[in-house]
Amino acid sequence: MTGTSSGEEPQCAGPSIRAAEGPAGGERGTQPPAARGVHAPSHEGLLPARGPDGRQVGVGPTGTGPFRADIVADRTPPSVWSRDFALFFVARALARLGDTMLPVALAAGLLQYGYGVGAVGLAMAASAASFAGLVIFGGVIADRFSTRRLMIGADLVRLVTQSVAAALFFTDHVVLWQICVIGAVNGVAGAVFQPGVASTVPRLATDVQGANGAIRIAESGAQLGGPALAGLLVAFSSAGGVFVAHAATFGLSALCLLLLRLPPAAPGSRTHGATFRADLAEGWREFRSRTWLWGVIVIWCVYMIAVWGPTVPLVATEVVQQHGPRAYGLINSALGAGTVVGGLVALRLRPRRMLRAGSFALFAFACFPASVGAGLGVGAISAGAVIAGAGMSVWGVMWATSVQTQVAPDVLNRIHAYDVAGSLAMMPVGQALAGPAAAALGADRVLLIGGVMSLVVAAALLSVPAIRELVRVDGPVPRIGAGAALAAPARKDGRRTG
């Protein structure tokens, strides 16, 4: 999930352009021991052996039960670094750099032309709504076609749209509906781009958690500098300059994807239905079979409406109005610094129950909206942003790694698409309601409520047994042969059974 889900936010790279290129999300042709596992089939799917206590039998980083020769895990994660992972790393940093500059440009630019907080929320909601509404279909497309080409195309589309936005601001021809249309087109491009991201990580690295931690640090480093750079561009140039820079990040990201090579997928590692609709239905069956997965998404919808949705536009407008765009850039850089810290922690932290650890870390996010809502100074808000960023980053790594290692590669793009769609479905609602809620209650009170709801959401995650008890799996989940049965559904307690 994304924290964008800044949480998410929710990574970028695509499949190989080699002649032997396999479908996006496919397994490596030869997997290391840490990534392999063979489970005995049954009429219900692929069911692993379980001990007397009902838990899966295997050996993980901390030990999960009696040893089985067919389930092997390496206690020392291999290095994630390679030429292709470095390209992926740079591409994600560039994409995040541009994304963290955009709220500054929208807030400062629209306020300059006489629009209020409601307009900023609508502009952000236009992109989020089209993205959330179409990303599920993007997941099916990513499983049927080359994700690399799809992602390059999506980047080039956004290069054009952000260049058009820059031209509108430079020529003083800023009309809200035009900005919203540009945002909606960007959302469609993002819906095509995003699903293939999840399947790229396990194809590039066998240490999936380490790769996610490194990517989080790359994105966080960009977030550290992006808002500050945007503030400087607004102060010394204009909002149009920020849109030019944002467009450039898409161009450079597309170049990284063009140079990327992925190992070919194993023959028969992925099958899909005869029709688009069949693939869509299969993705839904896989999604709903995992209680821990849809349980998080349901709770996250509340988070998007009550916390993240209103926090993004209200923090932007409150800080810009009270302290100026430079202060807003500084505060967002502090949030980025916190996510760097959280990424470093996530590189080292190897909890047996990843979602439990991530949920505890998520309590820290309450510091960000609450500090702004309480009317604290820039220094105090920045400190709250550091703490919030660290907690959100740890949650993001734990969540992304859980999805990528608990779901079979041939359906991972579709599962990730349902994950993203569910996570972000309510964000445009929260953003669109930010203005009316601020007008009725006051922006400060809405942000204080958001801080309280952050605590409620984290507690809700911990209250669901299927979420807090999910045991980590190291390495991607395999499927046996072409046309193998679907990955086994979750048990009633939410644990993966295959």
Side-chain angles (χ1 to χ4, degrees):
M1 136 178 334
T2 82
T4 342
S5 82
S6 173
E8 271 325 26
E9 278 246 15
Q11 302 129 335
C12 104
S16 173
I17 60 173
R18 300 174 185 175
E21 175 187 2
E27 298 174 17
R28 293 174 180 268
T30 302
Q31 291 184 331
R36 290 199 300 264
V38 179
H39 305 298
S42 77
H43 66 284
E44 294 181 355
L46 305 180
L47 302 178
R50 296 184 179 274
D53 61 354
R55 296 186 179 182
Q56 292 186 21
V57 180
V59 176
T62 59
T64 58
F67 175 79
R68 284 180 62 200
D70 60 344
I71 301 180
V72 183
D74 189 348
R75 291 176 180 270
T76 304
S79 173
V80 302
W81 291 102
S82 65
R83 169 194 174 275
D84 293 307
F85 184 78
L87 286 169
F88 176 82
F89 184 90
V90 172
R92 288 314 305 159
L94 289 169
R96 189 59 179 162
L97 180 68
D99 289 344
T100 56
M101 294 168 65
L102 186 59
V104 180
L106 285 175
L110 291 176
L111 290 173
Q112 177 185 349
Y113 284 91
Y115 294 102
V117 60
V120 176
L122 285 174
M124 293 181 177
S127 177
S130 60
F131 176 86
L134 297 174
V135 70
I136 292 175
F137 303 102
V140 178
I141 293 171
D143 271 337
R144 297 176 74 93
F145 301 101
S146 165
T147 55
R148 174 179 168 275
R149 294 187 179 95
L150 291 173
M151 290 192 284
I152 290 173
D155 271 345
L156 293 178
V157 167
R158 290 179 288 185
L159 168 64
V160 173
T161 57
Q162 295 308 89
S163 298
V164 172
L168 293 177
F169 278 95
F170 278 132
T171 59
D172 295 325
H173 185 73
V174 178
V175 181
L176 181 59
W177 73 264
Q178 294 175 340
I179 299 300
C180 289
V181 168
I182 290 173
V185 174
N186 287 338
V188 173
V192 174
F193 183 101
Q194 184 63 33
V197 169
S199 63
T200 299
V201 177
R203 293 189 73 189
L204 286 174
T206 53
D207 178 14
V208 179
Q209 182 181 337
N212 283 318
I215 294 161
R216 180 68 60 171
I217 293 172
E219 295 175 339
S220 301
Q223 184 170 334
L224 185 62
L229 176 59
L232 291 174
L233 287 172
V234 170
F236 294 105
S237 175
S238 68
V242 183
F243 282 101
V244 169
H246 194 198
T249 64
F250 286 122
L252 293 172
S253 175
L255 178 61
C256 288
L257 295 174
L258 186 65
L259 298 173
L260 186 68
R261 304 289 188 273
L262 286 180
S269 65
R270 173 182 170 269
T271 60
H272 58 76
T275 66
F276 188 94
R277 183 175 179 179
D279 279 353
L280 193 65
E282 181 190 21
W284 172 248
R285 287 193 300 270
E286 289 285 330
F287 175 78
R288 71 177 185 176
S289 70
R290 294 165 170 83
T291 305
W292 61 270
L293 183 60
W294 63 257
V296 170
I297 301 306
V298 169
I299 295 171
W300 209 254
C301 287
V302 177
Y303 182 84
M304 285 292 141
I305 295 175
V307 184
W308 189 256
T311 292
V312 174
L314 292 184
V315 166
T317 52
E318 285 291 293
V319 173
V320 168
Q321 288 176 344
Q322 295 180 16
H323 305 287
R326 294 187 187 183
Y328 180 67
L330 175 64
I331 289 168
N332 270 279
S333 294
L335 187 66
T339 55
V340 170
V341 173
L344 291 171
V345 171
L347 277 174
R348 304 292 299 175
L349 185 66
R350 302 276 168 162
R352 185 165 181 262
R353 291 177 172 83
M354 302 180 73
L355 296 184
R356 178 187 296 183
S359 299
F360 276 115
L362 198 58
F363 279 105
F365 188 79
C367 296
F368 187 38
S371 61
V372 179
L376 303 181
V378 173
I381 295 174
S382 298
V386 170
I387 297 171
M392 180 61 77
S393 185
V394 171
W395 162 260
V397 171
M398 298 301 161
W399 170 251
T401 304
S402 295
V403 173
Q404 291 161 1
T405 57
Q406 298 275 349
V407 177
D410 54 337
V411 292
L412 182 54
N413 289 329
R414 279 166 283 173
I415 288 287
H416 181 59
Y418 276 105
D419 162 25
V420 173
S423 299
L424 299 183
M426 295 296 106
M427 185 170 74
V429 177
Q431 291 176 333
L433 292 176
L441 302 175
D444 54 345
R445 292 181 180 176
V446 175
L447 288 170
L448 287 173
I449 292 171
V452 172
M453 289 303 298
S454 283
L455 303 178
V456 172
V457 164
L461 291 170
L462 289 170
S463 72
V464 179
I467 297 172
R468 70 171 184 266
E469 299 296 336
L470 185 72
V471 177
R472 73 179 292 130
V473 173
D474 288 295
V477 179
R479 292 223 180 170
I480 302 178
L486 294 178
R491 304 188 320 178
K492 291 183 179 180
D493 64 1
R495 294 180 188 146
R496 188 178 55 80
T497 60

